[in-house]
Amino acid sequence: MSENFYSPYSQRSTLGGCGCGKHESLAAHDAAAERERLSRGLDAETLSRDFVEAAAVRALFPNDVTRRRFLTAVGASTAMAAIASVLPLQQMQAMAEEKGPLEKTDVKIGFIPINCATPLIMADPMGFYKQQGLSPTLKKTAGWALVRDQMLNGELDASHFLAPMPLAISMGLGSAAQPMRVATIQNINGQAITLALKHKGNRDPRNWKGFKFAIPFEYSMHNFLLRYYLAEHGIDPDRDVQLRVTPPAEMIANLRAGNIDGFFGPEPFNQRAVYDGIAFIHVLSKDIWDGHPCCAFGVSEAFVAQNPNTFAALYRAILNAAAAANDPANLPAIAAAISTPNYLNQPEIVIRQALTGRYADGLGNVQNVPDRAGFDPMPWYSMATWMLTQMRRWGYVKDDVNFDALAEQIFLMTDARKHMAALGQKEAVAEPASGYKSFSVMGRPFDPAQPKAYLDGFAIKRS
Amino acid sequence: MTKSLRLRGAVLSLAILAVFLLTWQIATTPAKTTAPSGADREYAELMGNSATGAALANGVPTPAQFASLAWKQLSDPFYDRGPNDKGIGVQLAYSLGRVALGYAIAALIAIPLGFFIGMSPLLYAALDPYIQLLKPISPLAWMPIALYTIKDSATSAIFVIFICSVWPMLINTAFGVAGVRKDWLNVARTLEVGPLRKAFLVILPAAAPTIITGMRISMGIAWLVIVAAEMLIGGTGIGYFVWNQWNNLSLGNVIFAVLMIGVIGMLLDSLFANLQKKVTYAE
């Protein structure tokens, strides 16, 4: 029998010689075992079974040291037998793999016509939904408030969300509370602060008192990142400037009319403002937080409970699409597929610039930033905790909340890993296994284990 | 005399159109730009300025560009390329369907109710404050309430048309019925006409011109409302078409849609104008 790909039983200790007797040396035995282990990783179904088993063992022994000590004490095979006797491993593996009949195939998926929705949109023209037996209707929706309302009243089965929205809706901020789930992150990076051309010579945020900015929605990364960016430069986003919630097309119209000085908008509207000759790109969001999440693919908890197989099929379609979007070679084809009137309804060249990162900056230069936009789908728990710290910081959340509990309830990272493993995607085992990846925003490190200390570290805040 | 007046009116109309088109042409004629060279060429291409120096396609179109765009839309009005991309004819049909449904429900409720209110001075006095309060509320103000309570955007749009078009019909019916000449009612009474016969043969014809006027006002309002409602709910309809083109900042298509909304509104109005002529009587 070959070694489990995730090695939950391994003590990572050197064996005393080639135990099986088939190999001349220990090194040859190890090499053969490693080859077998890796080949096991190539088979999606085996990988899925291994993953479930590994996850179960991890759940039993959250602490790796304890697990190793247990294995050392009783031996791997005894441990396997002992664990198998308490955990219905085979049923769990069968459940994880189950591709039962779909409860419904005609799912209604909402989207806002912006680049952030690339994976869930391109999955339609490029056939990723069909591959999973789904025939969805992609409904272009007129605004974020409407996405929220149509998810609440069940008109949409699944939708493109701004990543903080499922957190806000689950907590009942700005709407009736209804538990929502984030299946995957749709996109990372790919936003920007765009300023009117008249501010060409005024690039220092410290001089921006009195500016008026447009943002797409209160519960958006755009709002949180713009507030963060301004506050780091000593500008109080509530007192020194005005932030207005504005639909993207109107951001451009207002910028042209001089009603606003700039906006933190989704693509392709930053690039569109440049293309229309009225603005320049001041800073890409990736330069504020490289790898920040932006939008999410979400469903209601009720939908997951009622349609587990459909949800799994949707999951696989979106993950496949995200993997395809993450390959730079596919980006020109994707730009062509999503720019049509049925989807984004924008000039293809604008979308392509925002996706590929070779773009005109509005100041006369062609910039080349290949990681301007990305499509890493992993819903890290720490992304949710960061959003919650910002909601607390700016007074959207009045009371202390349990950051980790909310993050782990709403962001379905374990499901994402399971489906990635089933699809044979190597990101399934991306570290850290805990899901609390740390990162830094404008050079300020965020330790997801210490959200309160992080909050206390800000000079400008509401609470 | 009237013939020459009409002729002169038509000539003046055409002259206004000509001046308008000329102004439009002058205002939108693109300035000649020189073709960029070398390193700037990629930048220019990314900015959408092709090497020939053609005007941006997304600004206000020239009359010629607009005509070709309108022709493109009108020559294939019923195409259907997915749920978010349908021809102008399909969109208008969706809007007209919604208006017809909301308006029909409004008429079914407003006209009988208006009859009762008009016949009873007590009811009139009792309900008048509510009607006056509800009448001036904007459709956009109803929309969130409708979406939240009805929980279905298609029904919400129809509800909003209903709630906005019901009042003029209700008020005009009540007013028309209440204003039927007392002499005629007295004659009906002396002839001992039954209440149903009196309602259909005396009151209804007498009040018809006022009722039709109310219906005409309501139809105008319903057509105004549908555009706003569809911009909010999205999906289908002429209002969605305007929103979708606006989202693309394609002013030419927005102008085209505005023109279509005007034409359809005018047709609907002339329909009721004809109906009004038929029921008008000389005393």
Side-chain angles (χ1 to χ4, degrees), chain A residues 54 62 87 124 132 181 316 344 451:
Chain A
L87 281 179
D124 191 23
Q132 302 295 339
R181 297 290 176 256
R316 290 191 292 269
L344 262 53

Side-chain angles (χ1 to χ4, degrees), chain A residues 20 34 58 93 106 135 148 153 173 183 242 274 300 349 442:
Chain A
C20 69
E34 182 63 10
R58 193 189 295 142
Q93 285 167 339
D106 55 336
S135 50
R148 178 196 64 204
N153 69 27
L173 301 176
Q242 233 187 64
V274 172
S300 67
I349 189 163
M442 291 180 76

Side-chain angles (χ1 to χ4, degrees), chain A residues 113 138 140 142 146 150 153 155 176 250 253 269 272 274-275 341-342 345-346 349 353 358 360 362-365, chain B residues 42-43 45-48 58 81-85 147-148 151-153 231-233 240 243-244 246-248:
Chain A
L138 262 67
K140 198 188 284 188
L146 202 65
Q150 297 199 340
N153 69 27
E155 266 181 72
E250 278 162 45
F269 288 93
R272 182 65 197 258
V274 172
Y275 180 81
N342 205 15
N345 196 20
Q346 289 281 350
I349 189 163
Q353 289 180 65
R358 185 162 183 87
L363 296 167
N365 314 308
Chain B
E42 187 187 2
Y43 187 79
E45 269 169 27
L46 292 176
M47 292 294 286
N58 46 56
R81 297 187 205 109
N84 305 309
D85 185 18
L147 272 177
Y148 202 85
K151 297 187 186 299
D152 179 80
S153 52
M231 283 180 97
L232 281 182
I233 61 163
Y240 166 77
W243 175 82
N244 194 23
W246 164 231
N247 208 43
N248 181 26

Side-chain angles (χ1 to χ4, degrees), chain A residues 58-383:
Chain A
R58 193 189 295 142
L60 272 180
F61 300 101
N63 187 338
D64 252 4
V65 180
T66 326
R67 178 177 63 92
R68 287 196 198 112
R69 239 183 252 145
F70 173 70
L71 291 172
T72 323
V74 303
S77 49
T78 320
M80 273 175 93
I83 289 167
S85 71
V86 288
L87 281 179
L89 266 179
Q90 275 177 353
Q91 281 99 308
M92 284 166 69
Q93 285 167 339
M95 257 166 69
E97 256 171 70
E98 191 156 38
K99 292 185 183 169
L102 301 181
E103 294 82 3
K104 60 194 290 189
T105 53
D106 55 336
V107 280
K108 289 197 183 59
I109 304 173
F111 73 96
I112 297 285
I114 52 179
N115 281 12
C116 307
T118 297
L120 78 91
I121 293 176
M122 64 180 265
D124 191 23
M126 298 187 146
F128 290 108
Y129 291 122
K130 215 169 279 157
Q131 200 181 22
Q132 302 295 339
L134 295 163
S135 50
T137 307
L138 262 67
K139 263 188 84 184
K140 198 188 284 188
T141 311
W144 291 112
L146 202 65
V147 165
R148 178 196 64 204
D149 293 346
Q150 297 199 340
M151 280 301 288
L152 286 176
N153 69 27
E155 266 181 72
L156 293 174
D157 295 312
S159 185
H160 168 207
F161 278 111
L162 290 158
M165 282 174 71
L167 295 168
I169 298 172
S170 300
M171 285 192 280
L173 301 176
S175 69
Q178 190 176 320
M180 291 288 158
R181 297 290 176 256
V182 168
T184 71
I185 292 296
Q186 279 279 295
N187 62 322
I188 57 169
N189 300 339
Q191 321 301 308
I193 298 180
T194 302
L195 291 181
L197 275 184
K198 64 178 176 202
H199 297 302
K200 226 192 276 195
N202 182 13
R203 299 287 294 271
D204 185 354
R206 271 168 261 275
N207 304 326
W208 289 359
K209 272 200 179 148
F211 268 34
K212 297 185 192 87
F213 287 101
I215 49 171
F217 200 63
E218 298 262 336
Y219 300 104
S220 66
M221 287 303 292
H222 308 83
N223 183 21
F224 299 158
L225 287 175
L226 178 59
R227 283 168 173 271
Y228 191 103
Y229 180 81
L230 293 170
E232 289 295 290
H233 288 97
I235 298 280
D236 187 321
D238 287 316
R239 293 180 188 138
D240 299 336
V241 295
Q242 233 187 64
L243 303 185
R244 296 180 181 170
V245 173
T246 315
E250 278 162 45
M251 288 180 182
I252 293 184
N254 277 308
L255 196 74
R256 196 192 292 269
N259 292 335
I260 55 172
D261 298 284
F263 57 82
F264 198 124
E267 295 297 354
F269 288 93
N270 301 300
Q271 198 59 50
R272 182 65 197 258
V274 172
Y275 180 81
D276 282 7
I278 56 169
F280 67 94
I281 291 178
H282 168 68
V283 63
L284 294 176
S285 64
K286 92 165 242 301
D287 297 327
I288 298 174
W289 167 4
D290 192 7
H292 76 81
C294 175
C295 288
F297 180 76
V299 293
S300 67
E301 189 201 20
F303 181 82
V304 182
Q306 286 156 18
N307 310 282
N309 297 336
T310 305
F311 178 57
L314 274 173
Y315 228 128
R316 290 191 292 269
I318 297 291
L319 287 173
N320 280 334
N326 247 340
D327 182 352
N330 293 333
L331 290 177
I334 291 170
I338 66 173
S339 62
T340 60
N342 205 15
Y343 304 113
L344 262 53
N345 196 20
Q346 289 281 350
E348 187 191 329
I349 189 163
V350 174
I351 293 176
R352 201 176 65 213
Q353 289 180 65
L355 282 180
T356 60
R358 185 162 183 87
Y359 66 96
D361 64 358
L363 296 167
N365 314 308
V366 175
Q367 305 278 0
N368 199 11
V369 186
D371 54 353
R372 175 173 176 179
F375 298 95
D376 181 354
M378 185 67 85
W380 297 106
Y381 293 144
S382 47
M383 289 174 166

